[in-house]
Amino acid sequence: MSTQHDRRPGAPFTERTPRVAAARALTRRAGREKAGRFLAEGAQAVREALAHGAVHEVFTTEAAAARNADLLHDAAARGVPVSTATDKAVAGLSETVTPQGVVAVCDLLDKPLATALAGSPRLVAVLVGVADPGNAGTVTRVADAAGAGAVLFAGDTVDPHNGKCVRASTGSVFHLPLARTRDVREALAACRAAGLRLVAADGYASTDLDQAIDAGALDAPTAWVFGSEAHGLPDDLLSAVDDVVKVPLHGRAESLNLATAAAVCLYASARAHRR
């Protein structure tokens, strides 16, 4: 059986190479927590990770190396080791059906709540109990695009370093502070301490977004609180915020998915703040 020690010089790493095996452990939350590292897959994510710093290694297939020569040259220029591995080895680091063939090993990104909210942000997204990594990553991307100052992952919410979440953010996880806490009340208290008004998005609210905008309710620095796709926000949390608002449905659609509703809400605040 081939091992790293009898590997031909210059031959690609395999899935049995210890460094590849160690990176593969980062596809699981427990492995990420233990190592303090996560994986960023795809050329765009790796590019953003390198610009952010704290990349430990880049794995690439030979085909991906040919497609991304500039990216790998940038990694080498920054002193980041670039390791060629077999297609099977790199596919084992991916959580997609069609891997892009280039993966970076990065330090975890989350910061303490007070650090993430430092600097008096005017717009923050708080995800509470959001289980779907695609939605969580897309909300992070939208928050970044809308100019938010931070994204908080509270309660039983997906890990922001989950592979699908990182990919859905298209690099935005590297652009704005992220914080995690199991204690939802702690997240809300930190937002209040940072001078933010708490506004929850809820499909059954009596006030809709148009009314909130007309009343000037979004003019102040705001933390938007979004609940899970299946269950929304619990009643005790809805009673703990400053305002509860629904996105108006002018057509016949039954509802909006989380990421779409978050985009509408966050951009409404961004517009109010720039008015």
Side-chain angles (χ1 to χ4, degrees):
M1 183 181 289
S2 174
T3 68
Q4 188 177 19
H5 299 295
D6 61 25
R7 192 172 67 90
R8 298 188 318 278
F13 286 171
T14 73
E15 65 274 16
R16 293 185 296 273
T17 303
R19 272 162 42 204
V20 175
R24 192 163 60 248
L26 305 180
T27 60
R28 299 184 298 276
R29 187 167 190 160
R32 294 191 290 271
E33 301 289 352
K34 182 178 178 181
R37 296 179 180 182
F38 76 106
L39 300 176
E41 185 203 353
Q44 174 65 16
V46 173
R47 188 174 294 110
E48 299 291 351
L50 289 168
H52 179 79
V55 175
H56 294 274
E57 184 167 13
V58 174
F59 294 100
T60 179
T61 64
E62 291 179 344
R67 289 194 304 270
N68 299 288
D70 289 349
L71 178 63
L72 300 182
H73 178 76
D74 179 38
R78 295 173 184 270
V80 175
V82 176
S83 301
T84 304
T86 64
D87 288 2
K88 183 178 180 182
V90 176
L93 306 180
S94 170
E95 297 176 50
T96 62
V97 179
T98 52
Q100 294 189 40
V102 57
V103 180
V105 178
C106 313
D107 281 333
L108 294 183
L109 297 167
D110 56 310
K111 305 179 182 327
L113 282 169
T115 304
L117 295 170
S120 302
R122 290 186 56 76
L123 182 60
V124 168
V126 184
L127 300 178
V128 177
V130 175
D132 182 81
N135 266 337
T138 302
V139 173
T140 302
R141 179 183 184 180
V142 168
D144 180 22
V151 179
L152 310 186
F153 289 66
D156 190 21
T157 292
V158 67
D159 178 9
H161 307 98
N162 171 289
K164 292 178 182 177
C165 187
V166 173
R167 191 167 59 255
S169 83
T170 62
S172 286
V173 289
F174 297 105
H175 294 169
L176 74 178
L178 307 176
R180 289 186 284 176
T181 176
R182 300 288 298 183
D183 187 340
V184 177
R185 298 285 177 162
E186 181 188 21
L188 300 187
C191 288
R192 286 197 194 284
L196 294 155
R197 246 184 121 249
L198 297 170
V199 180
D202 181 76
Y204 299 101
S206 57
T207 301
D208 72 29
L209 191 61
D210 292 339
Q211 293 168 326
I213 292 167
D214 291 343
L218 301 184
D219 294 353
T222 299
W224 275 99
V225 185
F226 303 108
S228 74
E229 301 83 351
H231 308 295
L233 294 165
D235 289 342
D236 64 326
L237 197 150
L238 290 174
S239 64
V241 300
D242 299 305
D243 222 340
V244 183
V245 174
K246 66 183 177 184
V247 176
L249 300 175
H250 302 302
R252 295 169 61 190
E254 185 228 355
S255 63
L256 295 174
N257 75 7
L258 168 64
T260 304
V264 174
C265 295
L266 290 166
Y267 266 91
S269 280
R271 185 179 180 211
H273 293 163
R274 281 160 178 73
R275 200 163 43 205

